[in-house]
Amino acid sequence: MLCFDQCSIQTQTVSEKGVTYYSALPTDDMAGYYQAPTSKKHRAFSTMPISGKSVMAIPGIATVYGSRLVNAGFPDADHILALYINAGKHQEKFLLELTALTGANNSRYMMHAFLGVQAVYQNFLM
């Protein structure tokens, strides 16, 4: 079960050389629900600008989901960031749209994508 509105996500701030990065951390009320990603792919994606990156650079999006997104007209990570912004930065709306585009049956991967895109937005567009 994923937490949407009933759970909150804290952010951890890490400063390096005057640049502040945010990463999602689970809160106590999320115990037993979803654990925030700590993969190298998530860290690499969320701490670098996404301009020109493939959609498959997004955490949770690999070959199968990536090819489905490319076929649906979303070849770059920039397009998924636009999808996030068009969804009003709202978690459920973004996840529903991304799941519909990818045909994903495992929403855990889509949650990884949401947290990665959210971190990029917080790090570079806020």
Side-chain angles (χ1 to χ4, degrees):
M1 179 177 179
L2 293 176
C3 343
F4 292 109
D5 293 329
Q6 74 270 23
C7 297
S8 59
I9 295 178
Q10 293 177 332
T11 56
Q12 174 186 19
T13 305
V14 180
S15 294
E16 292 180 15
K17 299 179 183 177
V19 179
T20 303
Y21 299 105
Y22 299 90
S23 62
L25 292 175
T27 58
D28 292 337
D29 62 336
M30 292 176 71
Y33 287 94
Y34 176 78
Q35 295 298 316
T38 57
S39 68
K40 289 180 186 178
K41 186 174 182 180
H42 177 81
R43 286 190 301 272
F45 180 77
S46 63
T47 58
M48 300 291 289
I50 63 169
S51 181
K53 286 188 180 179
S54 165
V55 73
M56 289 179 240
I58 299 172
I61 307 290
T63 308
V64 174
Y65 295 149
S67 63
R68 290 177 186 170
L69 286 168
V70 169
N71 291 338
F74 294 87
D76 300 320
D78 296 350
H79 291 93
I80 303 302
L81 180 61
L83 183 70
Y84 170 75
I85 293 169
N86 287 337
K89 299 175 278 185
H90 190 263
Q91 180 178 339
E92 286 186 70
K93 289 179 185 177
F94 176 78
L95 290 175
L96 287 173
E97 290 182 35
L98 192 59
T99 301
L101 287 169
T102 60
N105 60 0
N106 188 336
S107 56
R108 182 183 81 198
Y109 296 121
M110 298 302 101
M111 187 64 179
H112 281 279
F114 169 77
L115 291 173
V117 171
Q118 182 184 48
V120 165
Y121 180 83
Q122 290 175 341
N123 289 336
F124 299 102
L125 299 177
M126 283 185 72

